[in-house]
Amino acid sequence: MTGAALATGAGDPPLSCGNCRQPMRRLDLHAHYGTAVELDLCERCDWLWFDGTETARLDGPSLLALIGEMARSHALPHELLGRDPRCPRCDGAVALVHNQSRWGRSSQLQCRRRHGAFQTFSQFLHEKGLVRAMSRVDRAKLLRDRGQIACVNCGGAVGAEDETCRWCRSVPSLLDIARLAHALDPHETIEPQVVHRTRGRADALQCAACGAALPPGESASCAQCGATLAVTDLAEANAAVQALAPALREAAKKPSAKVVQRRLDALREDIPRRRAWVAELEAGSSNRNAENESGDWQSRFAELSKPVRAAVLALLALVIWRWWR
């Protein structure tokens, strides 16, 4: 494995999938800042269940471990989405919702009572920005070079003219290996690997092996050196980045001196901005306090009855008259 804990929780009984009604696997994974998260995975439906924000808290080793588990589930028959999927927490109805992420809109089946949400494997990878739609050029190259196209979501075969997977109805997509490698280590805590040297672009990749530029739609493989850059097989993508696992484990335990120094330099550069921000907040707070004090006297005077206000004004006038004399 990758160092991330992968075990079925020993506490509460496993949740039942809201689609096939079979028990899901509970995965205990590490998260950022030494915390832990629990995910539930249905190997039959190729679904993930999130109670909250677990997807944003996964660290690199755990993300790699989760992708490995997703790839292994492709060896099992896929269960079609039923007409009435339910929440595994309350057995209530779920609704299709669309959320905005940094990579665009992503979708999920959310419990109407907000107990959590289901995502297919492809929806999860899309939310992470790791898959992109397959162009006609991609499809032709894959059929020419490999003779078949696999569904990123369920692993089923996609026909030459299929607009969606006939097994799970997912849109045929390509998984970006270079971007996956970067997602596993976004802060570059490990030394660059061959697959890790360049980052993918939205329209076209640079070759992760030789750095050659690739035109849009030609990002499945490098015409210069023949390296595989984007694939449809989740197991193949997982195998391509498994070489990062040992380095990710070591970096999680103890970042290198270069990484620590880079983080310290970044903090030093950010100190002037933070000081200016604090000074601005303090100035705004002082102005608001002065306004509140002035407003308090006015509001208190307005709350007095008319006779009392008249008496106060008369007394104030008498004091001013005596002082002026």
Side-chain angles (χ1 to χ4, degrees), residues 2 30 61 79 135 139 259 269:
T2 64
H30 295 306
E79 187 80 21
S135 69
R139 188 185 293 255
V259 171
E269 293 176 358

Side-chain angles (χ1 to χ4, degrees), residues 200-261:
R201 302 198 303 272
D203 55 349
L205 286 169
Q206 287 179 294
C207 178
C210 71
L214 301 169
E218 293 285 343
S219 55
S221 61
C222 177
Q224 186 72 22
C225 68
T228 300
L229 303 179
V231 297
T232 61
D233 189 345
L234 190 56
E236 183 178 349
N238 178 60
V241 295
Q242 276 295 334
L244 302 177
L248 285 172
R249 286 199 301 268
E250 292 301 319
K253 294 178 182 177
K254 184 179 180 181
S256 67
K258 292 181 180 179
V259 171
V260 173
Q261 186 61 47

